[in-house]
Amino acid sequence: RVQLVESGGGSVQTGGSLRLSCVYSGFSNHNYCIGWFREDTDKNREGVAALDTVGSINYVDSVKGRFTISEDNAKNTIYLQMNNLKLEDAATYYCAAVEAAYCMSGVPHHLAMDYWGKGTLVTIFS
């Protein structure tokens, strides 16, 4: 069973940085699409960034140039480095994954993901 555990959320001033981590386990083989999603206080959920095991990396337009997703295979961990944070980045951030050969259509729709972590809260203050 796939398990995802996020950490690294917190409170930061606009323009600041945070790094989120997601430790994963339980994939039946080394084929998956995994990424970060966020949900605001209105329960709107969107994909932020995703990568897959064939090397594709994609971002939603609003975070391009500010956020970086990466993976450390030795630690079974993916990261989301968030720089130049804006008020609109405030949300609960979730790590999510699906066992698949690759991510379909860039950052996948959240309904395409089968496994979810419990989330980590990011708050931004001005």
Side-chain angles (χ1 to χ4, degrees):
R1 173 177 167 76
V2 175
Q3 292 188 312
L4 307 168
V5 180
E6 306 98 334
S7 62
S11 182
V12 64
Q13 195 170 19
T14 52
S17 298
L18 281 174
R19 189 177 79 156
L20 307 182
S21 301
C22 170
V23 179
Y24 57 81
S25 62
F27 288 114
S28 58
N29 56 51
H30 194 65
N31 291 323
Y32 51 80
C33 168
I34 189 168
W36 292 96
F37 294 73
R38 62 188 179 187
E39 182 176 283
D40 62 22
T41 53
D42 294 324
K43 302 298 183 184
N44 298 308
R45 188 171 291 197
E46 69 167 348
V48 175
L51 59 80
D52 60 30
T53 47
V54 297
S56 298
I57 294 177
N58 288 281
Y59 300 92
V60 69
D61 286 346
S62 61
V63 307
K64 286 180 180 177
R66 300 188 298 122
F67 291 11
T68 303
I69 187 172
S70 62
E71 182 177 20
D72 185 335
N73 288 309
K75 296 182 178 180
N76 285 359
T77 301
I78 67 162
Y79 303 97
L80 186 68
Q81 178 65 46
M82 305 186 294
N83 298 328
N84 190 21
L85 283 160
K86 303 177 180 181
L87 291 173
E88 53 264 39
D89 294 318
T92 299
Y93 282 71
Y94 296 90
C95 180
V98 60
E99 294 193 275
Y102 51 89
C103 292
M104 300 186 71
S105 64
V107 179
H109 192 277
H110 63 87
L111 293 176
M113 311 307 279
D114 290 334
Y115 305 102
W116 291 83
K118 294 184 177 180
T120 186
L121 181 64
V122 173
T123 58
I124 316 291
F125 60 92
S126 59

